[in-house]
Amino acid sequence: MHRLILMRHAEADARAPQGGGDIDRPLSPAGREDAARMGRALAERGFRPDLALVSAAVRTRETWAQVHDAIGDVELQVLDHLYDADARTLRDEVEINEDNAGCVLVLAHNPGIHQLAVEYLIESAASPSVLDRFAGGFPTAGCAVFTVDAAGRPSYEGWLTPASV
């Protein structure tokens, strides 16, 4: 793997359809627009994953559908254990798949996706200004992009949010 993209799902409706739980919450109309915008932004910057690891939640699958429309065909794994996963679980999944693709996108939830991004920033000795950007949280549809060296060490490459693209 030479690049890693950590992405949080886009904005979801506050409630699930009747009879559904949190995992069933769909994207809001604004969330669909933001996810499509982020897909276009990733494509325009050449950040095209070879493999997408996506939580099984409705909102993450719908986010991926919008991103996919801009990026095109990508190997997709929808994984139940990424729903509400902590940073350790997400990191394990990245490590399991690091030799399977040149660019991996992980599409999951807060707080795990935010915690993992901060861990990678700290490990790569990111500058205080970069760490400050992440201090305010990880917005819906946000993407943290890392370059990964031959030894598997990530270094910060960029931060994309719907408001910044």
Side-chain angles (χ1 to χ4, degrees):
M1 171 177 65
H2 66 272
R3 180 173 287 132
L4 173 65
I5 303 167
L6 300 178
M7 183 174 192
R8 182 179 176 198
H9 63 80
E11 179 186 272
D13 283 341
R15 296 175 194 234
Q18 187 172 3
D22 181 68
I23 197 168
D24 301 308
R25 291 190 304 133
L27 291 181
S28 68
R32 282 190 291 281
E33 289 176 21
D34 285 349
R37 182 180 312 119
M38 292 305 292
R40 290 189 301 272
L42 290 168
E44 288 165 3
R45 289 161 177 78
F47 297 153
R48 184 186 181 279
D50 304 303
L51 172 63
L53 305 172
V54 179
S55 157
V58 169
R59 59 191 175 274
T60 50
R61 289 183 288 125
E62 288 183 350
T63 298
W64 173 249
Q66 296 296 317
V67 171
H68 175 266
D69 286 348
I71 291 176
D73 286 337
V74 172
E75 181 183 347
L76 172 64
Q77 292 181 28
V78 176
L79 302 169
D80 291 337
H81 65 277
L82 295 187
Y83 170 66
D84 207 22
D86 60 17
R88 179 74 253 167
T89 301
L90 296 172
R91 181 186 288 259
D92 288 347
E93 199 59 46
V94 168
E95 290 172 359
I96 288 166
N97 287 284
E98 65 188 354
D99 294 330
N100 298 336
C103 180
V104 175
L105 180 141
V106 178
L107 178 49
H109 310 265
N110 266 355
I113 203 80
H114 181 229
Q115 292 168 342
L116 182 57
V118 170
E119 286 177 13
Y120 283 148
L121 290 169
I122 291 168
E123 290 169 19
S124 66
S127 71
S129 65
V130 169
L131 287 169
D132 283 348
R133 282 186 217 149
F134 285 81
F138 206 110
T140 53
C143 294
V145 182
F146 296 88
T147 301
V148 181
D149 69 16
R153 294 179 301 245
S155 62
Y156 175 74
E157 186 173 353
W159 173 239
L160 305 172
T161 66
S164 71
V165 296

